[in-house]
Every structure is written in C-alpha cells, then in structure tokens.
Amino acid sequence: MADKEKKQKRRTIKNIAKERTAMPEQPPLIRATNFEEVALGYTEENAVREAQRCILCPKPRCRNGCPVDIDITGFIAKIDEKDYRAAYDILSDATLLPAICGRVCPQEDQCEGVCAIGKKLEPVAIGRLERWIGDMAIENNWFQVPEITPNGKKIAIVGSGPAGLACAADMAKAGCDVTIFEALHKPGGVLRYGIPEFRLPNYVIDAELANLEKLGVKIECNVLVGRLFTIEQLRTEMGYDAVFIGVGAGYPTFMGIPGESLNGVLSANELLTRCNLMHAADESYDTPLGIGNKIAVIGSGNTAMDAMRVSLRVGAEHVYCVYRRTREESPARVEEIHHAIEEGVDFHWLTTPLEILDDGEGRVRAMRCIKNELGEPDDSGRRRPVPIEGSEFEFEVDRVVYAIGTNANPVIGQTSDIEMNKWGYIDTDETLHTSIEGVFAGGDIVTGAATVILAMGAGRKAAEGMKVYLGLEDSEEDAKAE
Amino acid sequence: MYEIVAREDFSDQTFLLEVRHPMLAKAAQAGQFVITQSHEHGERIPLTIADFSKENGTITLVIQAVGKTTKEMQADCQVGASLFAMVGPMGIPSHISEDVKKVVLVGGGLGVAPIFPQLRAFKEKGAYVIAIIGFRNKELIFWDDKYKQYCDEYIVCTDDGSAGIHGLVTQGIEQVISKHDDIDELIAIGPPIMMKFCAETTRPHQLKTIVSLNPLMVDGTGMCGGCRVKVGGKMKFGCVEGPDFDGHQVDFDELMNRLGRFKADEKIALENWQKHRENCRLMNTEPEE
Ligand SMILES: Cc1cc2nc3c(=O)[nH]c(=O)nc-3n(C[C@H](O)[C@H](O)[C@H](O)COP(=O)(O)OP(=O)(O)OC[C@H]3O[C@@H](n4cnc5c(N)ncnc54)[C@H](O)[C@@H]3O)c2cc1C
Ligand SMILES: Cc1cc2nc3c(=O)[nH]c(=O)nc-3n(C[C@H](O)[C@H](O)[C@H](O)COP(=O)(O)OP(=O)(O)OC[C@H]3O[C@@H](n4cnc5c(N)ncnc54)[C@H](O)[C@@H]3O)c2cc1C
Ligand code: SF4
Ligand code: SF4
Ligand code: FES
C-alpha cells in the first residue's frame, strides 16, 4: 500500500502515457450496416492503463466540470487499485446512470474539457472509464438497494426521461412511495426514443430502469398527464404529496421554407422514434419507415448525427448533412461528428436550405440551398453565417430530415395553470419548485434542450427541494450513518 | 393491458370495440381520441373516442378495417382479448359552447361514430341538433337509434338512394341551410374529401365549420411532427393543437397528399399479412406474431 501511494505521488504529466487509451470500435464500414454498438468498451487492461494517466490532482478541476459533481479522482484511483466495486460505489453516490452518462455526456465540454493534463496532452478519458465501471456494475449486478424506511409520502413523477428517473430514485431512497407516469408505451424518454441503439443499447436503459424498480419505484406507461388527469388533480384528488414534471422539450421545429409539407420531409424525432421506439427497420414490427435513398439532414447537433447514422444503417445510399455554420460550431459531441464522417456522411458546411422542391406528385425531389461565409460573432459568441450572393445551388434528395432543435411540449401548459415563460418552458425558483405548491420541474422542460447529465442533475436537485418541502430526513443517509 | 369487453360488427368492414379503462372513460370529452397498439410489435394508431361510459368504465371505438393494422384488429380483437397499449384521451376537446343554439353535425361513413359524442354534448347543453349522416347504401347504416334519441332532425343520405336523400351529405347540408337561417355552427367528420366539400358548401354562407382532422400520427404527444397540417397557412400539429380545426382554413389537398406518405409500405404490409394468415389457415395453425 505504502508503495502504491509513493508510486501515485510520483505520477506527473511527464511520466504518464501521452495518448489516451484508444476505444475499441467496430470498423466504420461494417458498423454503418448494423445497429450494434459502435464503441465496444474498454477491456480491464485498457481501463487500468487509462486510469494510470490520471495524475490525481489534489484540487481536481475535472470535478468542477461535471454537472453532478462526481468524485472523479476517487473513482479513478479505485480503478487504479483494481477495486472496481469501490469505484462503482463512488460513482453511484452522484449518478444513477454511469453506464449511460459515460456513453453520452459531451465530456469534451464538461469533465474532460477542464482536465489538467488536457492542456498539454489528451485529457484522461473519464467518460470511457465511467462507462466501463457502469457496464461492470450491470454485468455483476452490483446495484445495492439501501435500507429504506417508508415515510408514507406519495410522489408522482411525470415523464420517464433522465430527469424523472433521477428524481424518482432519490425520492424512493428517501422512503417515499414513487410512481412515474409516462405517455409512451416504454419508459426512458430520449434515451429510449431518440438516442439510437448503436450509441446506447436498450439493455443498458433496461438495467438502469430495473434498478429503479428494485427501489420500489412504479412505472406506469401509456399515461398522458394533463389529459388523463391534470397536474392539479395529482396534488388534490389523487393524493400525491409532491409532483415532479420532467416532460422534456421534444416538440420539433421546422424552418418555414417552401416545400416543408411534401412527403419525404420529416423531423429527426419522427425518424428516430420510428426506428428506436417502434423498431421500424425490423420486419417483425409493423411501423413503416419509408426511408429514401438520398437523405439530407438539416442541423449538426447530436440529433442530426443520430438521424444521419440511423439513415445509413437502414440502407440510405447517400446521406448529406446541411449545416449553416462549420464543424467547429457544431453542437454535437466531437465523437459523434467524427463517427459520422468515418461512416460516410457527406457534409455541406456553411450551407442554408432555401427551398425543398417537389417532384410533381407531392414528394421531395431536390433541395435548393445557399452557401455562407462566416461573419461577425453573434449573441452565442459563434461567428454568424452570412449568405454569399449568387451561390445558390440545387442537389437531388428524396428525404429531408429536420434536426434544428425542439421547443417545449405544450400539453402541460394547455392543461394546467402552471407559470411558464413566453417560450412555454416552466418557471421555477432555485429549488426547482414551480408556481403550483408541491410541484417541481426540471430537465429540458425548464432549461430547453440540454444534456442527459444536466437533466439528471436537475432531477436530483428537485428531489432535494422536495425533501425540504416535505420535511424529510434522508433515510439513505441515516442508513449510512449507522 | 386493456380488456375488450364488447364487440359489434356493423358490416364486413366496420366494427365496434368497447374497451375497459375507467380512468380514461372518466376523463374523456367529446372530440378526443386515443392511440392504441393491439400488440407489442404493432403500429400505434389513432382512433376517435366514439362513446364513453363513466358508469361502466369503458370507452367505445368504431374502426374501419382499411389496412394491415385495422384488418388485424378486426380478426384478433375479440371479447376477452386485450389491447397491448391504449393512451388518451388525446387532443383538445371540442368546444361545446353554450352560445350555439342550433348546430348541424355531419358524419360521413365511419365519421358517424366519432361525431356522436359532440352530438350528445350539444343536446345536453340544450342546443337544437340537426344530424346529417351519409353512407354508401342502406346496409352500412349504424347507430340509427342512438342518433334518433338525441337529434331534433335526422337526415340520412345514401350514394345509391337506398335510404333517405339520394346523394352526398353536401346535398343534405344545402337542404338544411335553405330551411334554417339561424344555424350557429356546423361540424363535419368523415374522409378528408368529404370534409373538404362540406367546408366548400358552407363557405359562401359564412357558416362556421369545424372539421376533425386525421393526419398520420406516431406518438400523439407533440414529439414527432408527423401529424402536421396546414391551417390558415400555418403549420399545426394535429395531435396536440387539434384534431378540431376551422374547416375554412384547412389545406385539405395537403392533408390528402400527406395521408399517402406510406402507401407503398402499407400495401406490402397488408399483402404480407394476408399471405401469412392464409398460410396459417391452410396449415390449420394459429397465426404467430
Ligand atoms: C436524438 C437525440 C440525441 C441526443 N444525444 C445526446 C447525447 O449524446 N448526450 C447528451 O447528453 N444529451 C443528448 N441529447 C439530449 C438529452 O437526451 C436530453 O437533454 C435529455 O434526455 C432530457 O431529459 P428530460 O428528462 O428532461 O426529458 P426527456 O428525455 O425528453 O423525457 C421526457 C419524457 O416525458 C414524457 N412525457 C412528455 N409529456 C408527457 C406527459 N404529458 N405525460 C407523461 N409523460 C410525458 C416523454 O414521452 C418522455 O419520455 C439528445 C437528444 C436527442 C433528441
Ligand atoms: C385523430 C384521428 C382519429 C381517427 N379516428 C378513427 C376512427 O375512429 N376509426 C377509424 O377506423 N379510423 C380512425 N382514424 C384513422 C386510423 O387511424 C387509420 O385508419 C389507421 O391508422 C389505419 O391503419 P392500417 O394499418 O389499418 O392501415 P394503413 O395500411 O396504414 O392504411 C390503409 C389505407 O388507409 C389510409 N389511412 C391510413 N391512415 C389514415 C388516417 N389517419 N386517416 C385516414 N386514412 C388513413 C391510407 O392512406 C391507406 O389508403 C383516425 C385517425 C386520426 C388521426
Ligand atoms: S457524468 Fe458526464 S460530466 Fe460527469 S464525470 Fe461522468 S462523463 Fe464527465
Ligand atoms: S483533472 Fe484530469 S488528471 Fe486531474 S484528477 Fe481530474 S482527470 Fe485526473
Ligand atoms: S403525432 Fe407525433 S407530434 Fe403529433
């Protein structure tokens, strides 16, 4: 032990491996024809090697970069010590979904973006390590149900995305009787219907949901809250002591250019839902997909990358990305863009769609666009795309997929008196309490479309607020103290 | 699982299912719909709530077997069986205004079923209710009694003249408009082409006309945008901003074009399913999913 400590102390940026341990992946041209996971995951050897690149900073900056304040140094040190179970316990203090966040967090903007060695070398692959531990936990069934003392409080969670799941877990651990209501026939929110199998396999979501059920959380699908009953009814006649709203911001937007109602124009959400939730590409399921041969996807965020890579996998011959700025300004995770390029997506950077053209029978024939150059920075600090006069051009496509962002879902606003801002997102105070007493909200429906980890963080923060509101002691903390 | 407690077949194409879901029956209002999935691999399809009984805790669906999903339901959805999924009530309920003193409800073919809850609601609010229903022929007529119970005037139109007016519902509308000059509102539900012509018939009379649109849907929660329709030049999502819209503002041609989005896939799905069923019948085995 003393030896090991010495060894660790001596680790500096000078004597660690310069390059991060590569992630084993399926070769691009093979994976573009299947739905198996692209990134295969570290082996134990890979993980230990990567853990040893962390210099275990005394004041780790990485931790500040993590929205849920994971003790990154702590869990990495445990991997180095080969005490993987302990690494998992450290992770699960902060996150319910390590196998998911390790896969989908935009680490380059968060933990890894501020990693100390990142200035000179490639940062420690924190996400990959987190995923590896998360996968180990699933494989070995490490999830442990804490001692829970029921307190008789009933909690309703609306929406089963990461925000709802995180809030549900914390409230169940605190001893509450928790029910999640989900409108679709399967739980998981965007994790299920949006992010495709090759990035986040369903078995990972199922395993994390199974853990929730072990905590006693009930999940009721096929319940559209607002319409089957209202938020107000949950608090009054249905007897819930507190409610959390995590309905996401899934309402897809279009641009309002001519030709958007042609057959062959659809939102990325529709394409992804048909594929992921409804299994349209699988012959044994009934939902049609109607994928074309030449597909243009507008936008360059995660949703766009997913839509493009799904299109390739279901047999499109040619997939284009049409984005008005450049690769540098793309909001997608760096890894997703890299993967999309490797798999053969054809990128039209600095391109704005002007019109979608009709084949004469109400279907998409082609798209007309204009080229841009980058001008002065705009409000977001990114350089504004400025159209270049006379640069219009046309190219043949038979599908146009919109992935240019989403708005707040309107159903809760239509059916309750909850206060919202002018864009329809729910207003909350700093504890995430809304204008209706005992009703909290968090995730995309409060912030607008964001990330899995931010939604999860919001769910946990709302749970904190709820516990204070209900005057609860945390039974899990008690159990630990004993 | 949502149990089917009653079934009635109106014709070889049209059938009624009564499904148990007490909470939904309690919440349902005129003009709303559900999305069902008959089995786990099935498609999510929208169906209007044609009736609901808070006492029995059931809702009624009337379904026309037109493609793979609905024909399969016609074959498999027997009393005692269950639907894999049913979510609702969805959509904004119809506005049943006290100010409407005289109302005309037009149901074409299957549309006779989904318009019924509105008819009853208007009657219960004390309005003078005129119903115009249209069918291809006399044999296809259903819910005659149910209608007569709530209507002040009940006008039947058939394409072949085997009952009532020989002609389309639009002829019924002309007739009613010429007889009454104090109609406050007309509501039409049926195939898009019928709703379009109803709206064209009332437009010159500036008679407020509400139609219930039936775009293709996936989730029904405002998440996919597949159900978008154009109303007054603006894009609307049928599932969360409808299904009721001002008939004079709707772009019906666009709606009809968009309903044909998956025509090729639908045809193949139906043929494959029919072949599969036929094989199972020949081999005298239960069809497997
Ligand atoms: C295609 C795609 C890819 C993405 N990729 C990434 C990524 O790689 N990394 C990342 O960090 N983030 C990614 N995101 C963003 C991330 O998924 C979201 O920010 C996150 O899921 C938001 O979580 P949430 O819990 O707020 O809502 P959601 O995940 O949207 O879940 C909301 C749930 O509520 C349900 N619901 C809605 N209305 C009702 C109602 N009235 N009653 C009952 N239930 C209702 C919905 O059906 C849904 O299941 C991606 C998003 C998309 C669309
Ligand atoms: C809000 C709403 C309420 C509805 N209410 C009812 C109802 O009460 N009873 C009922 O029988 N049907 C209703 N429909 C239509 C029903 O959803 C479709 O008939 C069904 O989805 C067809 O599925 P399928 O697989 O059997 O046929 P498909 O193979 O999908 O289609 C077969 C044929 O039917 C047409 N079709 C498909 N979908 C629709 C549609 N949405 N509207 C009209 N034609 C369509 C296709 O163009 C095709 O020609 C409603 C639709 C909406 C949007
Ligand atoms: S949860 Fe996300 S941001 Fe936090 S440490 Fe893990 S990968 Fe990094
Ligand atoms: S900042 Fe980087 S090197 Fe430092 S502790 Fe965090 S992961 Fe390790
Ligand atoms: S059906 Fe998906 S948004 Fe309306």
Side-chain angles (χ1 to χ4, degrees), chain A residues 62 65-70 72 75 91 95 98 101-103 105-107 110-112 126-128 130 453:
Chain A
C62 53
C66 171
V68 294
D69 192 31
I70 287 181
I72 297 171
F75 99 83
L91 277 174
T95 168
C101 296
R103 281 176 170 82
C105 264
Q107 287 95 3
Q110 299 178 350
C111 54
E112 295 176 14
I126 302 167
R128 294 172 180 178
E130 182 174 333
I453 191 69

Side-chain angles (χ1 to χ4, degrees), chain B residues 1 27 53 57 60 66 73 116 127 139 149 164 197 208 223 259-260 273 283:
Chain B
M1 290 300 215
S53 161
T60 299
V66 290
M73 286 175 83
F116 175 75
E139 274 62 54
Q149 193 188 334
F197 283 108
K208 182 176 173 191
M223 181 268 281
L259 279 172
W273 177 75
M283 290 162 65

Side-chain angles (χ1 to χ4, degrees), chain A residues 255 257-258 260 296-299 322-324 350-356 367-372 393 395 400 402 404:
Chain A
M255 293 171 73
I257 60 173
E260 271 173 7
V297 176
I298 308 176
V322 177
Y323 183 52
R324 61 197 178 113
L350 290 169
T351 305
T352 304
L354 296 176
E355 183 178 4
I356 302 165
M367 197 158 129
R368 204 161 64 81
C369 300
I370 190 163
K371 282 281 180 199
N372 299 318
F393 69 105
F395 66 108
V400 176
Y402 277 79
I404 55 167

Side-chain angles (χ1 to χ4, degrees), chain B residues 63-181:
Chain B
I63 304 163
Q64 192 169 15
V66 290
K68 150 94 203 300
T69 306
T70 44
K71 281 187 199 278
E72 186 177 47
M73 286 175 83
Q74 187 185 30
D76 295 347
C77 291
Q78 304 297 343
V79 174
S82 291
L83 300 174
F84 167 73
M86 184 166 80
V87 53
M90 294 177 142
I92 300 176
S94 302
H95 185 56
I96 312 289
S97 164
E98 303 264 355
D99 302 338
V100 174
K101 302 288 180 227
K102 193 176 268 187
V103 61
V104 181
L105 295 121
V106 187
L110 185 89
V112 165
I115 212 167
F116 175 75
Q118 299 189 46
L119 180 120
R120 180 173 53 195
F122 274 114
K123 188 71 214 168
E124 283 168 359
K125 282 256 164 92
Y128 182 88
V129 173
I130 305 168
I132 303 173
I133 64 157
F135 284 99
R136 263 183 294 130
N137 59 55
K138 191 175 169 205
E139 274 62 54
L140 296 173
I141 297 177
F142 62 86
W143 282 10
D144 224 19
D145 295 345
K146 223 170 153 141
Y147 263 70
K148 284 178 186 152
Q149 193 188 334
Y150 291 99
C151 289
D152 295 290
E153 286 178 47
Y154 175 62
I155 298 162
V156 176
C157 308
T158 52
D159 292 4
D160 66 353
S162 51
I165 298 176
H166 185 169
L168 303 173
V169 287
T170 43
Q171 275 165 268
I173 296 174
E174 296 284 11
Q175 207 179 75
V176 167
I177 292 178
S178 61
K179 190 169 148 198
H180 301 268
D181 59 4

Side-chain angles (χ1 to χ4, degrees), chain A residues 113-411:
Chain A
V114 291
C115 167
I117 68 166
K119 272 194 225 144
K120 294 229 170 71
L121 307 174
E122 287 185 316
V124 176
I126 302 167
R128 294 172 180 178
L129 291 172
E130 182 174 333
R131 165 184 167 175
W132 186 68
I133 294 292
D135 285 352
M136 291 267 284
I138 294 175
E139 211 171 290
N140 299 302
N141 211 356
W142 279 344
F143 182 77
Q144 217 175 16
V145 181
E147 192 90 22
I148 294 176
T149 326
N151 58 25
K153 300 283 185 201
K154 265 175 76 181
I155 309 294
I157 308 278
V158 184
S160 64
L165 298 180
C167 185
D170 281 3
M171 295 316 286
K173 285 183 189 162
C176 300
D177 176 4
V178 182
T179 307
I180 300 180
F181 297 105
E182 167 57 49
L184 295 171
H185 58 280
K186 286 219 170 134
V190 171
L191 305 177
R192 176 83 64 184
Y193 76 73
I195 304 180
E197 186 75 10
F198 56 82
R199 244 179 4 106
L200 176 59
N202 275 326
Y203 80 84
V204 176
I205 307 170
D206 290 338
E208 307 288 13
L209 288 166
N211 290 343
L212 266 191
E213 284 176 352
K214 283 184 208 151
L215 293 172
V217 173
K218 285 161 282 185
I219 304 183
E220 284 195 33
C221 290
N222 300 309
V223 177
L224 181 63
V225 178
R227 296 266 169 230
L228 189 60
F229 44 76
T230 60
I231 297 291
E232 284 85 349
Q233 275 174 302
L234 277 167
R235 284 286 286 124
T236 54
E237 51 195 89
M238 295 173 73
Y240 285 92
D241 298 290
V243 176
F244 175 75
I245 306 175
V247 293
Y251 188 101
T253 54
F254 292 81
M255 293 171 73
I257 60 173
E260 271 173 7
S261 340
L262 292 172
N263 288 344
V265 181
L266 66 162
S267 74
N269 272 4
E270 180 175 354
L271 175 73
L272 293 168
T273 303
R274 285 180 183 272
C275 276
N276 301 337
L277 178 72
M278 304 310 295
H279 305 277
D282 178 340
E283 293 254 322
S284 76
Y285 287 79
D286 289 346
T287 301
L289 182 60
I291 199 74
N293 291 323
K294 294 193 178 126
I295 301 176
V297 176
I298 308 176
S300 187
N302 286 321
T303 309
M305 297 303 142
D306 286 344
M308 295 187 277
R309 298 171 69 202
V310 160
S311 299
L312 285 171
R313 282 164 176 74
V314 295
E317 277 166 24
H318 210 116
V319 177
Y320 302 93
C321 173
V322 177
Y323 183 52
R324 61 197 178 113
R325 304 177 195 254
T326 72
R327 179 172 177 174
E328 283 62 49
E329 288 90 17
S330 292
R333 293 178 75 219
V334 166
E335 181 178 324
E336 308 312 328
I337 302 179
H338 171 71
H339 280 154
I341 292 173
E342 275 188 345
E343 289 170 15
V345 169
D346 197 348
F347 283 82
H348 280 301
W349 303 116
L350 290 169
T351 305
T352 304
L354 296 176
E355 183 178 4
I356 302 165
L357 304 161
D358 193 337
D359 72 347
E361 294 182 47
R363 289 180 305 237
V364 174
R365 168 180 72 78
M367 197 158 129
R368 204 161 64 81
C369 300
I370 190 163
K371 282 281 180 199
N372 299 318
E373 57 193 356
L374 288 179
E376 296 299 304
D378 64 11
D379 297 347
S380 71
R382 299 179 297 178
R383 291 178 63 193
R384 189 199 309 270
V386 182
I388 305 173
E389 218 174 301
S391 67
E392 288 92 345
F393 69 105
E394 209 181 286
F395 66 108
E396 253 180 57
V397 289
D398 52 13
R399 292 291 180 280
V400 176
V401 179
Y402 277 79
I404 55 167
T406 51
N407 283 327
N409 187 289
V411 177

Side-chain angles (χ1 to χ4, degrees), chain B residues 10-30:
Chain B
F10 295 135
S11 70
D12 58 0
Q13 259 220 338
T14 311
F15 60 103
L16 170 155
L17 299 178
E18 199 177 329
V19 188
R20 188 179 312 286
H21 193 324
M23 227 172 182
L24 214 166
K26 195 171 139 229
Q29 296 177 59

